[in-house]
Amino acid sequence: MRRTVFFVSDSTGITAETLGNSLLTQFDGLDFKRITLPFVDNHKTARAALSRIETAAVQDGARPLVFATMADPDLLDFLTDGRALVLDLFRVFIGPLEAELGLPSSHAKGRFHGMADNSTYDVRMDTLNFALTHDDGMSTARYPQADLVLLGVSRAGKTPTCIYLAMQFGVRAANYPLTEEDLTRQSLPKALVPIRLRLYGLTIDPERLHRIRSERRRHSAYASLNQCRKEITDAEALFRSERIRSLNVTSMSIEEIGSHLLQEMGLERRSF
Amino acid sequence: MRRTVFFVSDSTGITAETLGNSLLTQFDGLDFKRITLPFVDNHKTARAALSRIETAAVQDGARPLVFATMADPDLLDFLTDGRALVLDLFRVFIGPLEAELGLPSSHAKGRFHGMADNSTYDVRMDTLNFALTHDDGMSTARYPQADLVLLGVSRAGKTPTCIYLAMQFGVRAANYPLTEEDLTRQSLPKALVPIRLRLYGLTIDPERLHRIRSERRRHSAYASLNQCRKEITDAEALFRSERIRSLNVTSMSIEEIGSHLLQEMGLERRSF
């Protein structure tokens, strides 16, 4: 049976989506149709939201699930009048927090992910620019300013990891692709030696690497399973001989890789 | 008074961080120190977490706040024994969901943001690669495959927005910087004409643009307030005359820009 799931928010809906999806992964075998309704911050938009929820209820023949983050209690009450299970992520926790902190909450809508603070924006832009200009070994001049430099063979996941670290955590990450020459020589390129302690290796199972490379260049020598095996063997040998910590990312999401790196390198995040 | 806030999770902690931070924005004037403890998934790591929480309680002279996402009820019980306010994001909602769906939850730890599904990973990599190879007008050949193409002057926020749309939503976004020539001519570059309906303009207040550009190239003509004013006036005139929808992003976060674009362009997200 299909269930429609709504994420309704007076802001972007990211908080509702994140917790809602996290909860839904605990229920196997159901077919969820997800709809995000952001910027529901007045009675007109709330009426439109309720109308979509009611329509889904009729079409599915079952109550939709509504994950809501609304700072305005009136708008939330309005939604709960409909034919849906409304799980409000704010109201449940605001009470205990007010009691613990001894303060009333501000009930200010759309605060989170707002740009109350330009400095957070600037940090993310700075670190994102750093990741982009130091992608794929393009420039090594500012490596000493990097919080970490990821090493790995082509398509091991270095670029998305660097970008994620910049966007999510404000961490300044560069990446360096291990070349045929580095792998044959089995020693670090000179530019990396002074920052040895900030190096971190990414590795991946050859079969998965083969599949990823094949999507870009099918039937190439570059994508062949043999080539992938050889490069990974050499890269892992280099990490061992140079005592560079490394992580096998074969079955990890970008989020998991990012959290592991932050924790293992003891990095401070610059944005929350 | 300072309060220490812990985000404790059997996975990355992103869900706990997202909801926790969202709730904390409702309390003004407090000094929160945030600590994320990911991958707390056994009794050893839970003991270590509890020890850090207890230490913070002593140092602050006040109970720490703990936002937790733990699928294993035993581990959660263990944490709640300590001297902290533990707000569990799972337990509160799992019950009502089980009742509504008529199913027990799986209590599987670390499910969310895990790579259960390679296809989500592949979509994000594909769209991220698209954003990177179509950044800053570098290539226009594959514009017809773009879900949207962002237009704007240099430093208006096009690149981070494209990358965010790719990583968060699996949307294929390219961006094109409006050149002096485009702005003087007041007409669209040829490559953009066939995809007119997928164009979207980003604009920004000249003062903010001046500040952003000055951080990169202080005292340059490029960063001067006059130059910023002129370019923004011309860009907005071009959007109007070509009937291209646009958004002023001066006081918006990347998340807000992304949600607005998704909604206004009616784009389907490819990953959740």
Side-chain angles (χ1 to χ4, degrees):
Chain A
M1 189 174 66
R2 196 180 75 166
R3 288 283 190 144
T4 306
V5 179
F6 289 91
F7 306 103
V8 186
S9 169
D10 52 24
S11 178
T12 62
I14 289 170
T15 303
E17 286 176 359
T18 306
L19 182 57
N21 279 313
S22 191
L23 288 161
L24 294 180
T25 58
Q26 298 290 325
F27 295 93
D28 298 320
L30 288 175
D31 177 18
F32 296 113
K33 185 185 177 195
R34 295 164 168 87
I35 296 172
T36 303
L37 303 177
F39 310 116
V40 176
D41 57 3
N42 57 46
H43 279 280
K44 191 178 159 217
T45 47
R47 258 196 310 275
L50 188 59
S51 156
R52 290 193 62 174
I53 293 167
E54 298 284 341
T55 304
V58 173
Q59 283 175 348
D60 294 353
R63 297 209 298 176
L65 308 179
V66 178
F67 294 95
T69 52
M70 318 278 279
D72 179 343
D74 288 348
L75 289 183
L76 185 72
D77 285 343
F78 185 76
L79 287 181
T80 53
D81 285 346
R83 199 180 148 215
L85 174 69
V86 178
L87 300 172
D88 165 41
L89 312 185
F90 261 32
R91 198 174 288 186
V92 173
F93 298 111
I94 279 288
L97 279 171
E98 287 182 333
E100 175 69 33
L101 297 170
L103 274 178
S105 67
S106 61
H107 288 289
K109 73 185 172 189
R111 275 229 183 156
F112 191 55
H113 287 128
M115 213 178 60
D117 187 2
N118 269 345
S119 69
T120 299
Y121 185 88
D122 293 344
V123 163
R124 291 168 86 187
M125 291 310 98
D126 170 60
T127 52
L128 182 61
N129 284 327
F130 190 90
L132 292 175
T133 52
H134 296 79
D135 186 37
D136 219 23
M138 276 192 290
S139 159
T140 58
R142 285 175 68 209
Y143 272 12
Q145 291 164 45
D147 295 316
L148 91 165
V149 176
L150 293 179
L151 300 185
V153 304
S154 166
R155 295 284 122 192
K158 301 182 299 301
T159 298
T161 302
C162 284
I163 286 175
Y164 179 78
L165 288 171
M167 296 280 277
Q168 181 80 12
F169 302 120
V171 162
R172 208 178 275 136
N175 76 76
Y176 180 91
L178 291 170
T179 62
E180 191 95 43
E181 201 192 322
D182 303 322
L183 294 173
T184 310
R185 207 181 45 219
Q186 284 287 306
S187 71
L188 286 178
K190 266 187 195 159
L192 302 181
V193 174
I195 53 160
R196 180 187 293 269
L197 291 176
R198 270 168 288 157
L199 298 178
Y200 201 99
L202 295 188
T203 185
I204 187 170
D205 289 355
E207 290 70 23
R208 170 98 178 117
L209 183 63
H210 164 61
R211 211 172 68 73
I212 294 171
R213 288 184 173 183
S214 295
E215 289 203 357
R216 312 225 3 173
R217 297 202 225 150
R218 199 168 299 279
H219 307 310
S220 62
Y222 162 82
S224 74
L225 186 53
N226 264 346
Q227 178 68 19
C228 293
R229 278 196 186 122
K230 185 176 174 321
E231 288 184 31
I232 291 294
T233 306
D234 289 348
E236 293 181 349
L238 180 62
F239 297 151
R240 271 193 307 273
S241 71
E242 298 283 343
R243 294 188 196 172
I244 294 165
R245 281 171 289 186
S246 69
L247 189 66
N248 186 318
V249 301
T250 305
S251 55
M252 294 176 95
S253 66
I254 298 295
E255 286 83 356
E256 286 171 314
I257 301 169
S259 295
H260 272 288
L261 288 178
L262 218 60
Q263 197 184 35
E264 290 181 36
M265 300 289 282
L267 291 175
E268 286 267 326
R269 56 196 294 167
R270 290 201 191 83
S271 70
F272 248 107
Chain B
M1 190 175 67
R2 197 179 74 166
R3 287 283 190 144
T4 306
V5 179
F6 288 91
F7 306 105
V8 186
S9 168
D10 53 24
S11 180
T12 62
I14 289 169
T15 303
E17 286 176 1
T18 306
L19 182 57
N21 279 312
S22 193
L23 289 162
L24 294 180
T25 59
Q26 297 290 324
F27 295 93
D28 297 320
L30 289 175
D31 177 20
F32 295 115
K33 185 186 178 195
R34 297 163 166 86
I35 296 171
T36 302
L37 303 176
F39 309 117
V40 176
D41 58 3
N42 58 46
H43 279 278
K44 189 177 161 217
T45 46
R47 255 196 312 275
L50 189 59
S51 156
R52 291 194 61 174
I53 293 166
E54 298 284 342
T55 304
V58 173
Q59 283 174 348
D60 294 351
R63 294 208 300 174
L65 309 178
V66 178
F67 294 96
T69 51
M70 317 278 281
D72 179 343
D74 288 347
L75 289 184
L76 184 72
D77 286 341
F78 185 74
L79 288 182
T80 53
D81 284 346
R83 198 180 149 217
L85 174 68
V86 179
L87 298 171
D88 165 41
L89 313 184
F90 260 34
R91 200 175 287 187
V92 172
F93 297 111
I94 280 287
L97 280 171
E98 287 182 335
E100 176 68 33
L101 297 170
L103 274 178
S105 67
S106 62
H107 289 289
K109 73 184 172 189
R111 275 232 180 155
F112 191 54
H113 288 127
M115 213 178 62
D117 187 1
N118 269 347
S119 70
T120 298
Y121 186 90
D122 293 345
V123 163
R124 291 168 88 186
M125 292 309 98
D126 171 59
T127 52
L128 181 61
N129 284 326
F130 190 88
L132 292 175
T133 53
H134 294 80
D135 186 37
D136 218 25
M138 275 193 293
S139 159
T140 58
R142 284 174 68 209
Y143 272 13
Q145 292 163 43
D147 295 316
L148 91 165
V149 176
L150 292 180
L151 298 185
V153 303
S154 166
R155 296 281 123 193
K158 303 182 300 300
T159 299
T161 303
C162 284
I163 286 175
Y164 180 76
L165 288 170
M167 295 280 278
Q168 181 79 9
F169 302 121
V171 162
R172 210 179 274 137
N175 77 76
Y176 180 90
L178 290 171
T179 62
E180 190 95 42
E181 201 193 324
D182 302 324
L183 294 173
T184 311
R185 207 180 47 220
Q186 284 288 307
S187 71
L188 286 178
K190 267 188 191 159
L192 302 181
V193 175
I195 53 160
R196 179 186 295 268
L197 291 176
R198 269 168 288 158
L199 298 179
Y200 201 98
L202 295 189
T203 185
I204 186 168
D205 290 354
E207 290 71 22
R208 169 100 177 115
L209 183 62
H210 164 61
R211 211 172 68 72
I212 295 172
R213 286 184 175 182
S214 294
E215 290 204 355
R216 310 225 3 173
R217 295 201 228 153
R218 200 168 298 277
H219 308 308
S220 63
Y222 162 82
S224 75
L225 185 53
N226 264 346
Q227 178 68 19
C228 293
R229 278 197 185 120
K230 188 177 173 321
E231 287 184 31
I232 291 294
T233 306
D234 289 349
E236 292 181 352
L238 180 63
F239 297 152
R240 273 193 306 272
S241 72
E242 296 283 344
R243 296 189 192 171
I244 292 165
R245 281 171 288 186
S246 67
L247 190 65
N248 185 318
V249 300
T250 305
S251 55
M252 295 175 92
S253 66
I254 298 294
E255 287 83 355
E256 286 171 313
I257 302 169
S259 294
H260 272 287
L261 288 177
L262 217 62
Q263 196 184 35
E264 290 181 34
M265 300 291 281
L267 292 174
E268 286 266 326
R269 58 197 292 168
R270 292 204 187 81
S271 69
F272 248 108

